[in-house]
Amino acid sequence: GLGAPHSFEALFNNEFTADLQVQMLVDYYFPDRVLKIGTWSPRMVLQQRILWGQMTQADLYRPYFSSVQAPDEVYWESGIEFQKLYNTIGLGFYYRYGAYARPEFVQNFSIKLTTTGLF
């Protein structure tokens, strides 16, 4: 898949529905000199994503979503991105864990192409 900046990467589309939620999206950019090899210097970024939410009026949302589940326990995901591997293209590796982890290791792991500076 394709990654998007400042988003949850291991979370499926419409997996959770909430009318009250709190998100924390933290990125740590390592200095460019960490992976510098000659003139090639990709950027390494550590990511932490946390989500919690509640559904106070689930009946209002049931006609619009196939399943209505609020993230009433904390959803966790972490990742590492290697940006600018080739021009603006990079690669990201993400892992979900905690209360909403899938049964098998492979189901929690996500790999995505990323781009920087296009938008």
Side-chain angles (χ1 to χ4, degrees):
L2 292 175
H6 310 294
S7 64
F8 291 89
E9 301 294 351
L11 186 65
F12 295 113
N13 193 21
N14 293 332
E15 186 172 350
F16 295 118
T17 305
D19 53 10
L20 173 66
Q21 68 178 358
V22 176
Q23 299 179 12
M24 187 174 81
L25 311 169
V26 178
D27 293 344
Y28 175 75
Y29 291 83
F30 283 92
D32 288 343
R33 66 182 178 274
V34 171
L35 295 177
K36 187 172 184 169
I37 300 170
T39 59
W40 183 62
S41 63
R43 181 185 297 156
M44 188 167 57
V45 183
L46 287 179
Q47 298 179 339
Q48 179 64 55
R49 308 290 189 241
I50 302 170
L51 171 67
W52 174 85
Q54 286 183 336
M55 176 62 65
T56 59
Q57 299 175 345
D59 293 336
L60 293 175
Y61 298 92
R62 281 201 171 78
Y64 305 107
F65 296 97
S66 58
S67 68
V68 176
Q69 177 188 4
D72 51 0
E73 295 184 46
V74 179
Y75 170 83
W76 296 84
E77 98 178 22
S78 297
I80 186 167
E81 282 186 5
F82 298 97
Q83 299 175 345
K84 299 181 180 181
L85 291 174
Y86 180 75
N87 290 334
T88 62
I89 298 173
L91 196 59
F93 303 91
Y94 313 95
Y95 186 74
R96 68 188 284 166
Y97 53 94
Y100 295 105
R102 303 281 179 188
E104 296 182 31
F105 173 79
V106 178
Q107 294 173 328
N108 295 308
F109 192 67
S110 179
I111 301 173
K112 295 190 177 183
L113 286 175
T114 63
T115 59
T116 56
L118 293 180
F119 301 106

